[in-house]
Amino acid sequence: MQYFVTGATGFIGKRLVKKLLERKGSVVHFLIRKESANKVADLRSFWGVGATRAIPVFGDLTAKKLGVASEDIKKLKGQIDHFHHLRRGVRPGGRRGNAGRRQHRRHAQHHRAGQGHRCRALPPRLVDRRGRPV
């Protein structure tokens, strides 16, 4: 099973990717900004996998087609079984809104992903210090 995850560097995303990678034969492609490339080794260490199972895809959630290079899009097309969007919607210029949801839908359709999933983080006041809803 192959997954594409946005928000994999965040609190929820790191834990979701870890769970996905516990599945036998799973591969996770995760969106990450180029300026965060130095986080990849630590993320793989946290997840306990190597470069063949946790594959960074450089881009930006605020850009068209998530800022993913056309050669990466060609490689991923038809390969993704599940697409997980874990980031809050961010519009160009840093404003929050529905742009992320639309980008997620377009990107999932473009890659012909089998399933698309969105997760909305709860505001901090609605969870306790362990992240459980109150």
Side-chain angles (χ1 to χ4, degrees):
M1 197 66 70
Q2 296 211 28
Y3 303 91
F4 190 98
V5 180
T6 64
T9 59
F11 181 83
I12 296 171
K14 279 173 57 173
R15 284 142 184 88
L16 172 68
V17 171
K18 188 171 185 154
K19 285 290 185 190
L20 294 174
L21 289 168
E22 288 174 0
R23 298 175 179 182
K24 187 177 180 180
S26 64
V27 175
V28 175
H29 303 269
F30 58 100
L31 186 70
I32 189 167
R33 290 185 304 264
K34 284 190 181 194
E35 53 271 15
S36 298
N38 58 341
K39 295 180 181 181
V40 173
D42 291 337
L43 289 168
R44 285 181 180 144
S45 175
F46 179 81
W47 297 327
V49 297
T52 58
R53 298 206 42 225
I55 303 167
V57 177
F58 295 102
D60 187 344
L61 187 65
T62 62
K64 269 192 164 183
K65 295 186 181 178
L66 299 178
V68 177
S70 58
E71 59 269 6
D72 289 334
I73 291 173
K74 287 177 186 172
K75 281 192 273 185
L76 292 172
K77 198 168 198 168
Q79 301 298 313
I80 305 300
D81 299 304
H82 293 271
F83 189 102
H84 293 270
H85 177 58
L86 300 174
R87 289 279 316 251
R88 290 178 74 177
V90 179
R91 293 183 186 146
R95 299 177 318 211
R96 304 213 181 277
N98 291 325
R101 182 171 40 215
R102 284 190 299 270
Q103 289 280 36
H104 159 258
R105 191 177 323 115
R106 285 186 200 124
H107 203 66
Q109 289 169 348
H110 186 76
H111 287 299
R112 297 187 180 117
Q115 296 288 322
H117 310 278
R118 284 187 305 126
C119 176
R120 184 171 180 199
L122 293 173
R125 67 183 180 280
L126 298 179
V127 294
D128 66 14
R129 61 188 173 93
R130 292 191 179 156
R132 297 178 296 208
V134 287

